[in-house]
Amino acid sequence: MKRGILAIVGLALLASCSVKTNEEKARDLIEPQVKANLIKPDSYEFAQMQLDSCFSDDTNRNPKSIEFVLKVARLFKEYKEYMSDAEEAETSMTIYAPTYGYQDAHSKQQQKKYKAEMEKAQRKAAIAKDKILQLYKENKEFFKSFQSAKHEFTGWSVAFSYRAETAGGLKIMGNNLYFLDKDLTEITHSFSEDELSDLNSAGIDDLQYEFEDEFKELAEDD
């Protein structure tokens, strides 16, 4: 009888040791994807990871929210670049403006050239702005849904860090963000270090100030 009990206990301990933790399951999913995107996969070294639960009422840990901010951030960056180009062209126009009512042929040609550049940049800026406002319109209901959403578990987010060599042999740190399903069997979304950098430099406060009147109009449409 004693031997039988010891055998059962031994099997139970063996089974418990073979069960992977959530962190191990997440790492098993993520590492192959990380290595597949490296220039030198053999140089890969795990650094650290942070596994967090995601809930239906949390906009910060929602991949759709992150994708939205990324799209807006890139469009706003384009908008600012076009506006800067327009301002530079307008400044150049003033250099070739008539002096005391006189303007030679070269100055007329240059002023016409910079005027065309200014108007082209302004048109591009207007298109980027319209795309931003359209994104907000299309996602209004999605973000409003968070106000009434239940606090339900939806999956996992993983901040994952590693080291690997560049083509030149320099070992650098990489940082990615992953979203996994509830059972830790699938990567549902992933965001690269460049995308995370775009998120950090999104300039959402500047955007809200720049388009304050337009956002008020959108809010009044509710």
Side-chain angles (χ1 to χ4, degrees), residues 8 32 38 57 83-84 89 95 108 110 117 162 181 190 195 216 222:
I8 292 171
L38 293 177
D57 56 349
M83 289 299 292
S84 178
I95 295 173
K108 283 182 181 179
Q110 291 299 105
E117 289 181 2
Y162 61 93
D181 66 340
S190 62
E195 288 173 323
K216 283 182 180 178
D222 289 341

Side-chain angles (χ1 to χ4, degrees), residues 2-222:
K2 186 178 289 185
R3 286 183 180 178
I5 293 173
L6 288 174
I8 292 171
V9 171
L11 288 172
L13 289 172
L14 184 63
S16 66
C17 290
S18 65
V19 175
K20 291 186 177 182
T21 66
N22 287 341
E23 285 76 10
E24 288 171 332
K25 291 178 183 178
R27 184 172 169 179
D28 286 347
L29 281 174
I30 292 168
E31 284 188 322
Q33 188 175 113
V34 171
K35 291 177 183 178
N37 291 302
L38 293 177
I39 296 173
K40 297 183 178 181
D42 293 340
S43 69
Y44 167 84
E45 291 179 8
F46 172 74
Q48 62 182 8
M49 61 181 286
Q50 181 175 332
L51 182 71
D52 291 301
S53 302
C54 298
F55 296 92
S56 55
D57 56 349
D58 186 354
T59 57
N60 293 323
R61 290 206 181 103
N62 185 293
K64 187 174 179 179
S65 296
I66 293 175
E67 287 173 345
F68 169 80
V69 175
L70 272 173
K71 289 177 183 177
V72 169
R74 288 165 179 165
L75 285 169
F76 188 51
K77 183 180 178 181
E78 287 182 17
Y79 169 83
K80 290 189 292 184
E81 288 173 352
Y82 293 140
M83 289 299 292
S84 178
D85 291 343
E87 290 172 4
E88 287 183 15
E90 186 176 16
T91 299
S92 297
M93 277 178 59
T94 62
I95 295 173
Y96 294 98
T99 305
Y100 302 111
Y102 172 76
Q103 188 179 38
D104 59 31
H106 175 71
S107 295
K108 283 182 181 179
Q109 185 179 17
Q110 291 299 105
Q111 189 179 38
K112 183 179 180 180
K113 169 191 169 185
Y114 287 116
K115 183 173 186 267
E117 289 181 2
M118 178 189 72
E119 292 173 347
K120 182 179 180 180
Q122 287 174 336
R123 286 194 299 271
K124 288 184 175 181
I127 291 171
K129 178 179 178 179
D130 288 343
K131 287 181 179 179
I132 291 171
L133 295 176
Q134 185 61 34
L135 275 173
Y136 272 88
K137 288 179 184 177
E138 292 171 354
N139 287 275
K140 277 173 66 176
E141 294 304 316
F142 168 69
F143 285 106
K144 282 173 63 178
S145 68
F146 283 98
Q147 298 173 6
S148 56
K150 296 179 181 179
H151 189 68
E152 295 177 345
F153 174 64
T154 57
W156 306 87
S157 69
V158 185
F160 195 89
S161 300
Y162 61 93
R163 298 180 188 86
E165 289 184 9
T166 63
L170 179 66
K171 182 153 284 191
I172 61 172
M173 181 76 77
N175 301 282
N176 296 342
L177 177 65
Y178 296 90
F179 286 89
L180 313 180
D181 66 340
K182 294 179 181 180
D183 299 322
L184 293 166
T185 59
E186 179 187 5
I187 297 173
T188 60
H189 298 81
S190 62
F191 298 94
S192 67
E193 187 163 11
D194 288 341
E195 288 173 323
L196 296 177
S197 178
D198 288 343
L199 279 178
N200 292 330
S201 60
I204 297 301
D205 290 342
D206 292 339
L207 181 147
Q208 291 175 335
Y209 177 79
E210 184 83 12
F211 303 151
E212 183 178 5
D213 293 337
E214 289 83 355
F215 287 145
K216 283 182 180 178
E217 289 180 13
L218 285 177
E220 290 170 359
D221 290 340
D222 289 341

